[in-house]
């Protein structure tokens, strides 16, 4: 740990704190220890400086630019920035995923967590949707709550992280929103079913009220079943999630944003189900393509023993009748990613973060 002087040492003591074991019984101990600290707000600029000091021996973070997608429609409120990201569970990155071109040194949690935080702090999302979160209790909840976010976590019932020695507990989905911008109206933790059977995949759906406009909307985060051969399973999970969201949004009367790692290319049935849903959803990142109809060429790019994997699996869906996409964060180029692909010393996950700025349609009563 580098010396940071008196002005930053107290903050860094929280940043550096990690659980020594994944035992669930220790999570409460950690939260109790951090109770007093959590009440003390953090200046995001100071936390970013802390991260940059920890990362000073690593290459600088990649520069990505927002693409303006706003049509000539005036908005009477600040845009709502939504960030979607599979951050790569620490236990899986170190113990299971076997990224053959990524040095183990690049995966050290003490530094990798700072890369993750740096990415979040750089884009300043109003709403943050994460998958593969296995350091919720010791890192993301205590830090992000002090940055003004309300935090929710729903772990997988049988997380593969628990199979890894010296794990930090189960991974799951996490949802964070800024309390000064939104009021929580309703929250649902959904364990997805497939063929009437409960599965190991989950979702969180929350109905929020925008403080500035008074408008309601629903934000959901999910992570569907991985691997080739499970296409029908993912399709069933997607149908179950859509049914839940139809009920929560009263059949799309409440606008909807769904973030997730769907583990499905646009050619899969589950993608078509979301595209053709009665909820009138569109995929925000299609708008970056010249014709507005094509998904990005990749949102994850890695090299495993079986070979190189480049896929489009991550999406931000939205109610296109009620919401406008003002801008979207461009993806990393192949040159930026480099020949060893992801993760790397430059980038902490094998999935790219997606970030969009949304505004409410000025005609909220417009029919679907």
């Amino acid at each position: 740990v580098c010396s940071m002087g008196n002005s930053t040492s107290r903050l860094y003591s929280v940043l550096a704190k990690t659980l020594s074991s994944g035992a669930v019984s220790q999570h409460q101990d950690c939260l109790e220890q951090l109770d007093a600290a959590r009440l003390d707000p953090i200046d995001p600029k100071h936390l970013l400086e802390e991260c940059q000091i920890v990362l000073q021996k690593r290459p600088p973070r990649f520069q990505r630019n927002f693409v303006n997608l706003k049509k000539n429609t005036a908005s009477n409120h600040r845009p709502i920035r939504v960030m979607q990201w599979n951050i790569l569970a620490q236990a899986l990155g170190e113990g299971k995923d076997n990224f053959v071109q990524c040095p183990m040194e690049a995966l050290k949690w003490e530094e990798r967590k700072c890369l993750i935080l740096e990415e979040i702090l750089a884009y300043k999302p109003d709403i943050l949707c994460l998958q593969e979160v296995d350091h919720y209790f010791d890192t993301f909840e205590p830090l992000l709550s002090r940055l003004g976010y309300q935090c929710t976590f729903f772990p997988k019932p049988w997380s593969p992280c628990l199979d890894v020695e010296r794990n930090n507990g189960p991974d799951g989905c996490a949802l964070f929103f800024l309390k000064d911008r939104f009021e929580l109206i309703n929250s649902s933790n959904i364990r997805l079913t497939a063929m009437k059977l409960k599965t190991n995949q989950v979702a969180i759906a929350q109905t929020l009220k925008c403080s500035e406009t008074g408008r309601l909307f629903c934000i959901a985060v999910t992570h569907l079943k991985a691997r080739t051969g499970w296409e029908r399973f993912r399709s069933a999970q997607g149908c179950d999630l859509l049914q839940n969201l139809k009920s929560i949004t009263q059949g799309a009367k409440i606008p909807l944003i769904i973030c997730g790692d769907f583990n499905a290319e646009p050619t899969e049935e589950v993608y078509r189900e979301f595209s053709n849903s009665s909820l009138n959803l569109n995929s925000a990142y299609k708008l970056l393509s010249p014709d507005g109809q094509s998904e990005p060429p990749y949102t994850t790019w890695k090299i495993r023993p079986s070979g190189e994997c480049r896929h489009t699996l991550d999406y931000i869906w939205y109610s296109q009748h009620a919401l406008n996409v003002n801008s979207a964060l461009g993806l990393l180029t192949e040159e930026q990613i480099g020949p060893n692909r992801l993760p790397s010393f430059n980038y902490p996950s094998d999935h790219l973060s997606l970030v969009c700025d949304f505004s409410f349609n000025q005609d909220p009563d417009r029919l679907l």
Side-chain angles (χ1 to χ4, degrees):
V1 176
C2 22
S3 172
M4 300 190 183
N6 292 333
S7 63
T8 57
S9 58
R10 182 171 57 87
L11 179 57
Y12 184 75
S13 69
V14 176
L15 179 60
K17 187 175 181 62
T18 57
L19 290 174
S20 59
S21 164
V24 174
S25 62
Q26 292 192 346
H27 289 167
Q28 190 59 41
D29 294 341
C30 176
L31 291 175
E32 288 170 359
Q33 291 167 18
L34 290 171
D35 254 355
R38 192 194 289 115
L39 300 175
D40 184 14
I42 300 174
D43 184 331
K45 291 180 181 178
H46 292 168
L47 182 56
L48 183 58
E49 289 169 3
E50 296 287 346
C51 291
Q52 289 168 344
I53 291 171
V54 175
L55 298 170
Q56 58 189 338
K57 293 184 179 179
R58 291 205 179 204
R61 63 184 298 277
F62 295 122
Q63 293 304 305
R64 299 165 65 186
N65 298 317
F66 280 89
V67 178
N68 184 14
L69 301 168
K70 195 171 182 180
K71 299 173 184 175
N72 295 323
T73 54
S75 174
N76 59 3
H77 67 90
R78 286 182 295 159
I80 297 169
R81 177 162 291 181
V82 177
M83 184 174 188
Q84 146 61 28
W85 199 10
N86 178 333
I87 61 172
L88 174 62
Q90 183 64 21
L92 300 184
E94 285 188 307
K96 278 202 165 192
D97 280 342
N98 204 359
F99 302 112
V100 293
Q101 296 294 100
C102 179
M104 286 301 291
E105 186 74 9
L107 296 172
K108 283 172 40 180
W109 179 243
E110 290 75 13
E111 294 181 4
R112 197 172 79 85
K113 71 180 176 185
C114 291
L115 272 180
I116 295 170
L117 289 167
E118 185 183 43
E119 182 94 343
I120 294 167
L121 291 164
Y123 297 123
K124 304 174 185 173
D126 300 302
I127 299 171
L128 174 63
C129 295
L130 302 180
Q131 299 86 38
E132 290 200 23
V133 178
D134 64 345
H135 273 273
Y136 176 81
F137 292 100
D138 66 305
T139 299
F140 294 104
E141 194 276 345
L143 286 175
L144 291 174
S145 65
R146 294 176 65 192
L147 290 168
Y149 290 92
Q150 183 153 327
C151 314
T152 305
F153 176 61
F154 192 22
K156 294 174 184 172
W158 313 300
S159 167
C161 293
L162 299 177
D163 296 333
V164 179
E165 191 177 355
R166 294 190 297 275
N167 65 74
N168 198 62
D171 76 299
C173 292
L175 199 162
F176 310 84
F177 66 84
L178 287 176
K179 291 185 288 186
D180 65 352
R181 288 213 65 185
F182 311 106
E183 176 189 351
L184 179 64
I185 303 300
N186 180 62
S187 185
S188 300
N189 287 355
I190 304 165
R191 184 172 171 186
L192 299 175
T193 63
M195 298 95 173
K196 298 184 179 179
L197 297 173
K198 290 183 177 179
T199 73
N200 195 34
Q201 280 65 47
V202 300
I204 304 169
Q206 296 188 332
T207 302
L208 306 180
K209 182 178 181 180
C210 177
S211 303
E212 190 175 337
T213 65
R215 299 278 295 273
L216 295 179
F217 68 100
C218 177
I219 178 76
V221 55
T222 195
H223 188 187
L224 301 188
K225 174 66 182 173
R227 294 194 176 83
T228 303
W230 293 84
E231 292 81 4
R232 289 184 62 197
F233 196 84
R234 279 191 288 274
S235 175
Q237 288 183 326
C239 286
D240 182 51
L241 179 57
L242 286 169
Q243 282 300 121
N244 276 279
L245 293 174
K246 283 176 188 175
S247 174
I248 291 168
T249 62
Q250 302 166 33
K253 287 183 181 177
I254 298 172
L256 175 63
I257 300 171
I258 310 164
C259 295
D261 174 359
F262 280 60
N263 276 307
E265 291 273 10
T267 52
E268 272 198 36
E269 181 63 29
V270 67
Y271 182 93
R272 291 192 291 274
E273 286 162 358
F274 273 73
S275 294
N276 300 325
S277 165
S278 62
L279 295 173
N280 197 26
L281 300 171
N282 193 20
S283 174
Y285 264 72
K286 281 167 53 177
L287 301 179
L288 288 181
S289 66
D291 61 359
Q293 299 299 315
S294 305
E295 292 289 352
Y298 51 83
T299 61
T300 180
W301 202 341
K302 66 202 90 178
I303 301 175
R304 286 178 167 150
S306 57
E308 193 162 345
C309 308
R310 190 184 88 148
H311 299 291
T312 299
L313 306 177
D314 307 270
Y315 306 95
I316 300 179
W317 297 92
Y318 69 101
S319 301
Q320 56 187 334
H321 63 286
L323 297 166
N324 300 310
V325 184
N326 296 357
S327 61
L329 182 65
L331 300 176
L332 292 177
T333 65
E334 180 176 358
E335 183 181 15
Q336 286 177 309
I337 290 173
N340 293 333
R341 308 315 183 198
L342 304 173
S344 66
F345 282 108
N346 301 72
Y347 201 76
S349 176
D350 54 328
H351 289 253
L352 299 178
S353 63
L354 308 181
V355 186
C356 289
D357 290 336
F358 290 97
S359 60
F360 290 107
N361 191 304
Q362 295 308 297
D363 186 7
D365 299 320
R366 183 175 160 192
L367 295 176
L368 301 188

